[in-house]
Structure formats: structure tokens, C-alpha cells
Amino acid sequence: MTAAQCMAQLIIISKRLEQAAKEATKQTADEILKASTEKYCPVETGELKKSAKLEEENTGREYKVKISYNTEYAIYVHEIARYYHPHGQYKYLETPFNELTPKLSSNVESKLKGVI
């Protein structure tokens, strides 16, 4: 194999590794969002739960996944513990994020094994 062929292979593998890492990140974010909406998100009218969304941003240099709830009161329900939550809890996004973020490593490892 020539040096040019080696470099071409490295570029291909590098792109596959990057894609695998993005897929693992998205997979973990999906798991966080699912846990947040199904287990932790307070439900009174259902509007807060329905406002949950996941957005991907890929600039080529950076890959980001954003999970958010989009109501005017989402921040208050999330941050203020004294509000009554008949179903769910405050910190409804932070809690599953903290619980599931360590899983990102195993998701990445799993995806990378498929590439190497």
C-alpha cells in the first residue's frame, strides 16, 4: 500500500469515526429526552411535555445537540422546588441528563467498535 493509499484510508476511517461519535451523541440525547418527558416532566395540562424538543446543529467544525422545553414557564417549573408537581418533579431535564450522560461513553465506545 502506498503512502497516498494509507492517507486515503485514514481520511475514510476518520470520517466514519466522527459519524459514529455523532450518532452516539444523538442516541444519548434521545435517551435523555425520552426519560425527561416520560418519567420526570411535570404534567398538569400537558403543554410543557408537548413543548420538549431536540435540535441538532452541525457546523462542520462542531456538532451540538440541544434539548429544550419551550414554554414561558418551563424554567420556573424546572428550577423552583416548592412548586407542586402531582406528576413529575422539578429538575425534570437536569436529573435525566446527570443520570444518562455517563452512558455517552458506552454509546460512543459501542459505535466506534463498529467502525474499527
Side-chain angles (χ1 to χ4, degrees):
M1 185 177 283
T2 68
Q5 289 171 323
C6 285
M7 288 301 293
Q9 282 293 89
L10 286 173
I11 290 169
I12 290 168
I13 292 170
S14 174
K15 289 181 189 262
R16 288 181 183 161
L17 290 171
E18 183 179 336
Q19 184 59 36
K22 288 176 183 176
E23 289 171 10
T25 302
K26 171 77 166 53
Q27 176 185 351
T28 306
D30 285 334
E31 293 173 20
I32 292 167
L33 179 62
K34 182 178 180 183
S36 178
T37 57
E38 292 180 3
K39 185 176 178 183
Y40 297 102
C41 182
V43 177
E44 188 172 311
T45 66
E47 289 301 310
L48 180 62
K49 188 174 183 176
K50 286 190 279 184
S51 77
K53 68 179 182 176
L54 188 145
E55 297 173 276
E56 293 177 86
E57 182 183 328
N58 190 358
T59 65
R61 293 178 52 96
E62 288 184 318
Y63 176 73
K64 298 177 186 179
V65 180
K66 176 183 172 185
I67 303 170
S68 63
Y69 284 82
N70 301 293
T71 65
E72 291 180 11
Y73 55 87
I75 190 72
Y76 303 106
V77 176
H78 189 271
E79 295 299 322
I80 301 173
R82 70 175 184 270
Y83 286 153
Y84 175 69
H85 304 293
H87 169 76
Q89 65 177 57
Y90 90 115
K91 302 292 186 183
Y92 54 87
L93 185 52
E94 183 177 329
T95 300
F97 178 83
N98 289 337
E99 288 176 357
L100 294 170
T101 297
K103 193 170 180 192
L104 176 60
S105 296
S106 63
N107 286 347
V108 169
E109 182 179 342
S110 176
K111 295 282 184 185
L112 294 181
K113 282 181 181 177
V115 173
I116 298 176

